[in-house]
Amino acid sequence: MKKTVLLGALTVAGLAAGAAAAGTLDDVKARGTLNCGVTTGLVGFAAPDANGEWAGFDVSVCRAVAAAVLGDSKAVEFVPTTGKTRFTALASGEIDVLARNTTWTYSRDVDLKFEFIGVNYYDGQGFMVPKDLGVSSAKELDGATVCIQTGTTTELNLADFFRANNISYEPVPIETNAEAQQQYLAGACDVYTTDASGLAATRATFDDPAGHVLLPEIISKEPLGPLVRHGDHEWGDVVRWTLNALVSAEELGVTSANIGEMSAGTNNPEINRLLGTEGTLGEMMGLDAGWAKSAIMAGGNYGEIFAKNIGEETPVGLARGLNAQWTNGGLLYSPPFR
């Protein structure tokens, strides 16, 4: 078993080394589309809407990068990936960036040779149970059957939690969120565990959301963020600073409503540098001066994207919490644009 895991890791690393030899920015420009890996479907984060158009919080990162590089937020080929297939898709070059609820860990960064370009959602692993199960704490789940996505950090976190609390469980392995939802609602498992945001998004699609409870325990840190291949630093810069542009725009008060006015010039030098009316920040990355303006116009600043897709006024109903700006008690923080 260990040998299989090791060989798998080495295979992915080898693919990454080969794929990184090419310049992804040039490839994307030549192709005219961004190939963006997303989940197979998680409402609020990445899922086709009623018109078949991909939409969601993670999808917005893809559209912002496409707008920054190509000037067209719709120039994206979305590639659905599972927990098992996502890393191979990125390492092989099938996708240019993975914008899927993926936790930034040491082994993924160092051993699998990927580069997380930031955190777009600070999350933690939680538990959802049917209300009529009568459980109020995860510590009461001794002997429960648990639906869990394979190939994820949640598998190890789950084992650690039950072992630390000296209770047992029976795993019910599933590969996608849709399969988890189906199995959970069919009663194949007592509990579904994944990132708390994913549980809230899944519950929002139920016919009776109030019939299901998110237990209070958050058993892990799950910093979720987009990632690219190791070794292509120019491309990493483009994706990293596109995300930073969305975060900074919220902090600086640049919105989809006022960006037209602000891009004519303001008395705030950082806004002017961000929007390309001062300096040469775009040129430094091989992009035009309006790259950040295009990225922000694709879906709004970070706060607008959050509110529209997963915020408290949506069916997913997530509070900003740790994902608030640092100026409002959260962890969200972009390095300066200078």
Side-chain angles (χ1 to χ4, degrees), residues 6 83 96 99 120 125 135 153 157-159 180 190 201 231 247 257 266 279 281 292 297 305 331:
L6 177 60
D96 305 307
N120 71 330
Q125 184 175 342
V135 172
T153 55
N157 297 334
L158 180 69
D190 302 312
V247 173
T266 73
L281 297 187
M297 290 180 66
I305 291 169
L331 298 178

Side-chain angles (χ1 to χ4, degrees), residues 11 59 247:
T11 300
V59 164
V247 173

Side-chain angles (χ1 to χ4, degrees), residues 64-65 67-69 238 241-249 254-255 259 263 270-277 281-283 285 287-301 337:
V65 173
V69 174
V238 168
W241 285 96
T242 299
L243 176 60
N244 287 339
L246 303 180
V247 173
S248 281
V254 179
T255 71
I259 193 168
S263 61
E270 186 164 20
I271 293 177
N272 296 342
R273 290 191 292 269
L274 174 69
L275 299 182
T277 54
L281 297 187
E283 183 181 338
M285 292 199 299
L287 303 179
D288 65 35
W291 67 278
K293 177 183 177 183
S294 297
I296 297 162
M297 290 180 66
N301 64 36
F337 278 77

Side-chain angles (χ1 to χ4, degrees), residues 27-336:
D27 289 346
V28 172
K29 286 181 175 178
R31 191 190 308 130
T33 57
L34 172 74
N35 294 334
C36 198
V38 292
T39 182
T40 52
L42 183 63
V43 168
F45 286 87
D49 62 17
N51 299 316
E53 297 277 340
W54 281 89
F57 183 76
D58 289 331
V59 164
S60 297
V61 173
C62 303
R63 295 202 182 282
V65 173
V69 174
L70 302 168
D72 182 0
S73 64
K74 293 187 177 300
V76 185
E77 185 71 31
F78 291 100
V79 180
T81 63
T82 69
K84 283 185 175 179
T85 65
R86 55 185 165 177
F87 298 131
T88 302
L90 180 60
S92 68
E94 180 184 1
I95 57 177
D96 305 307
V97 58
L98 180 64
R100 179 191 190 282
N101 45 347
T102 296
T103 304
W104 185 349
T105 70
Y106 178 97
S107 59
R108 289 169 178 176
D109 188 330
V110 175
D111 192 32
L112 295 186
K113 310 300 182 188
F114 295 126
E115 182 174 350
F116 285 81
I117 57 85
V119 176
N120 71 330
Y121 192 91
Y122 291 93
D123 211 339
Q125 184 175 342
F127 299 89
M128 177 169 64
V129 298
K131 190 174 184 179
D132 59 14
L133 194 63
V135 172
S136 59
S137 167
K139 296 179 181 178
E140 300 171 15
L141 294 175
D142 190 19
T145 52
V146 184
C147 279
I148 184 162
Q149 292 189 53
T150 54
T152 66
T153 55
T154 56
E155 285 184 288
L156 297 177
N157 297 334
L158 180 69
D160 287 350
F161 177 80
F162 275 74
R163 184 169 60 244
N165 287 283
N166 197 29
I167 54 179
S168 64
Y169 69 100
E170 180 181 344
V172 178
I174 45 90
E175 289 204 20
T176 66
N177 192 67
E179 183 184 357
Q181 178 174 330
Q182 180 185 29
Q183 295 282 45
Y184 171 80
L185 290 176
C189 52
D190 302 312
V191 188
Y192 179 31
T193 183
T194 187
D195 298 337
S197 64
L199 295 176
T202 301
R203 185 174 63 168
T205 66
F206 291 175
D207 292 337
D208 178 24
H212 302 269
V213 178
L214 303 187
L215 299 178
E217 286 86 358
I218 298 296
I219 66 169
S220 67
K221 294 184 294 185
E222 305 292 338
L224 310 180
L227 56 154
V228 297
R229 290 176 289 276
H230 257 185
D232 191 342
H233 302 299
E234 290 75 15
W235 180 242
D237 285 345
V238 168
V239 182
R240 175 180 302 106
W241 285 96
T242 299
L243 176 60
N244 287 339
L246 303 180
V247 173
S248 281
E250 181 184 25
E251 180 184 343
L252 295 169
V254 179
T255 71
S256 56
N258 65 22
I259 193 168
E261 177 184 353
M262 286 196 166
S263 61
T266 73
N267 59 5
N268 184 322
E270 186 164 20
I271 293 177
N272 296 342
R273 290 191 292 269
L274 174 69
L275 299 182
T277 54
E278 287 184 21
T280 59
L281 297 187
E283 183 181 338
M284 294 177 190
M285 292 199 299
L287 303 179
D288 65 35
W291 67 278
K293 177 183 177 183
S294 297
I296 297 162
M297 290 180 66
N301 64 36
Y302 179 94
E304 291 178 284
I305 291 169
F306 190 104
K308 176 183 177 183
N309 294 290
I310 57 176
E312 292 182 282
E313 302 303 318
T314 71
V316 179
L318 296 173
R320 287 292 293 267
L322 295 177
N323 296 290
Q325 290 279 341
W326 68 287
T327 49
N328 292 322
L331 298 178
L332 211 63
Y333 186 105
S334 166

